[in-house]
Amino acid sequence: MKGVIHKIICLSALFITLHSDHAKAQDIATLHETARSLMKQGDFENATLVLNKALKQEPDNLDLLKDQAFVFYLKRDFAGAVESGKKITARTDADVQCFQILGLAYKAIAEFKESDKMYKEALKKFPNSGVLYSEYGDLLASNNNAAAAIKQWEKGIETDPNHSSSNYYYAAKYYAQKGNIIWGLLYSEIFVNIESFTKRTDEIKSILFGGYQKLFSAPEAVNSAKENGTPFEKAVATDISTLTGLMVNGVTPETFTAFRTRFILNWYNRSSNEFPFRLFEHQRLLLQEGYFEAYNQWLIGPLADTQKFQAWTQNHADEVKAFQQFQHNVIFKIPEGQYYSH
């Protein structure tokens, strides 16, 4: 009988402990959710109070500590953000976000030396993080070292092609500025297919349109790629150079669509087996599905002529709607191994 009673007491104690732990976990989760809600509302002081309350119960909770460091940054307490960021990045379980938060704090106080050191350490730990390559490149560019920055953005594109659109964003701008038309165009179009509905999308569309205008006004850039580029660049430049006559009347959605249709047909007759490339596969799919004209209008129509674009969309409302549905339903993802920049 005593043994039975002892078992009941033990089971009761275990139940109370488990129930207490569950209630504690629920309480911390509720506090954390409240803190994040306050952060979104811009109430950083009360978010800090709530996070501190949760941390009293779980002082080593990494998610709470990350948000604590981020709140310091948001309320412009950069010294606090740096101190907290150093602590979380020193942990063995530190993740990419820990380094991002510390990077933001360093950038806010223009602490280049420590930030540079931190990103190098972070990339040793996370050598395939596209986000870290993107942010490290941005840091280098802000310190007037664009040549080093593009190496980081390219590495991010190579190792993590689908998880940081910013690498394509920065690389597209870099190549456009440096007169590398081929990669300026390719990275621009990849970017707007990954990130299709932001302010940055409109910015890169403008670069894309300007790039095509330069492409046909300065054929020497294509000739240079044919002679000195990588095998992939040479293949692209060769197909482009045979079609420049289609653009003698300038870059309009109509000439743009005609040129790119011929390019895709030629590419899949000559080079697609040697160089499978997701962007060209996407263009061919759009062509096959009947959305290519609407896609090209979406890319450059407003830039070429706003009034004509508005008229076109009104006269082709069904095509526009069908393309928009396609655009929302198809995820643009680049397979591993399709890296041809170097």
Side-chain angles (χ1 to χ4, degrees):
M1 184 67 177
K2 288 182 179 179
V4 173
I5 293 172
H6 178 72
K7 286 182 179 179
I8 291 172
I9 292 171
C10 288
L11 288 171
S12 297
L14 178 61
F15 173 78
I16 292 169
T17 301
L18 291 173
H19 180 73
S20 176
D21 288 345
H22 179 67
K24 179 182 176 182
Q26 279 190 318
D27 186 42
I28 290 172
T30 301
L31 288 170
H32 199 181
E33 185 178 342
T34 300
R36 286 186 166 176
S37 178
L38 291 166
M39 288 166 68
K40 290 177 182 177
Q41 295 169 30
D43 189 351
F44 305 135
E45 294 302 329
N46 281 318
T48 299
L49 291 173
V50 175
L51 286 169
N52 289 340
K53 184 177 180 181
L55 282 164
K56 284 182 180 179
Q57 297 183 59
E58 282 194 13
D60 292 326
N61 185 308
L62 183 60
D63 288 332
L64 292 173
L65 290 168
K66 284 192 295 184
D67 278 350
Q68 183 187 54
F70 191 47
V71 169
F72 279 130
Y73 169 78
L74 291 173
K75 63 182 184 180
R76 303 185 67 79
D77 180 356
F78 301 129
V82 168
E83 183 182 357
S84 298
K86 284 182 176 179
K87 289 178 181 178
I88 57 177
T89 55
R91 291 173 51 140
T92 56
D93 60 346
D95 58 17
V96 168
Q97 284 186 336
C98 295
F99 292 97
Q100 285 184 277
I101 293 167
L102 182 54
L104 287 170
Y106 278 139
K107 187 175 181 180
I109 58 175
E111 181 53 80
F112 175 79
K113 185 176 179 181
E114 289 300 317
S115 187
D116 184 79
K117 179 182 175 182
M118 184 216 69
Y119 277 116
K120 287 176 179 175
E121 291 175 356
L123 285 165
K124 285 181 182 177
K125 186 170 184 177
F126 301 102
N128 296 319
S129 171
V131 171
L132 289 175
Y133 284 113
S134 167
E135 294 181 1
Y136 186 29
D138 185 34
L139 174 76
L140 292 166
S142 68
N143 200 47
N144 299 314
N145 195 350
I150 188 60
K151 292 180 181 178
Q152 300 304 318
W153 297 325
E154 285 283 9
K155 191 66 177 177
I157 290 169
E158 180 182 10
T159 60
D160 197 8
N162 293 300
H163 292 99
S164 182
S165 58
S166 289
N167 284 310
Y168 297 103
Y169 171 78
Y170 290 127
K173 293 177 67 174
Y174 172 86
Y175 286 125
Q177 291 167 357
K178 295 296 181 181
N180 187 327
I181 291 179
I182 299 293
W183 284 110
L185 293 175
L186 294 176
Y187 282 154
S188 290
E189 193 167 350
I190 288 171
F191 172 79
V192 300
N193 277 287
I194 295 174
E195 188 177 308
S196 303
F197 307 104
T198 70
K199 289 182 179 179
R200 296 200 306 180
T201 310
D202 293 334
E203 179 188 359
I204 297 300
K205 281 183 181 181
S206 181
I207 289 175
L208 180 75
F209 182 58
Y212 271 100
Q213 289 178 313
K214 290 178 183 177
L215 183 68
F216 300 105
S217 63
E220 62 273 9
V222 178
N223 294 333
S224 176
K226 283 173 64 177
E227 295 173 6
N228 306 311
T230 65
F232 173 81
E233 289 174 66
K234 289 179 180 179
V236 172
T238 297
D239 277 356
I240 287 175
S241 64
T242 63
L243 301 171
T244 53
L246 294 173
M247 306 289 277
V248 292
N249 295 321
V251 182
T252 68
E254 293 74 24
T255 59
F256 189 63
T257 300
F259 164 79
R260 283 152 61 84
T261 299
R262 288 286 298 277
F263 175 87
I264 288 299
L265 294 175
N266 289 348
W267 182 263
Y268 278 89
N269 281 331
R270 287 199 284 255
S271 304
S272 61
N273 290 333
E274 185 177 1
F275 302 111
F277 195 54
R278 178 69 178 88
L279 178 62
F280 297 158
E281 291 168 9
H282 185 64
Q283 291 175 0
R284 185 174 68 158
L285 178 61
L286 288 161
L287 194 58
Q288 292 170 338
E289 296 295 327
Y291 304 135
F292 200 46
E293 184 179 10
Y295 170 66
N296 288 318
Q297 286 280 354
W298 173 76
L299 280 177
I300 70 160
L303 295 162
D305 190 314
T306 303
Q307 290 184 338
K308 286 185 178 179
F309 173 72
Q310 291 174 344
W312 188 90
T313 57
Q314 290 173 0
N315 294 328
H316 299 80
D318 290 342
E319 293 172 46
V320 171
K321 184 178 179 180
F323 166 65
Q324 289 173 342
Q325 289 177 338
F326 173 89
Q327 192 175 31
H328 282 283
N329 292 332
V330 174
I331 298 173
F332 187 90
K333 293 195 71 173
I334 299 175
E336 298 288 339
Q338 290 190 5
Y339 180 76
Y340 305 119
S341 183
H342 297 291

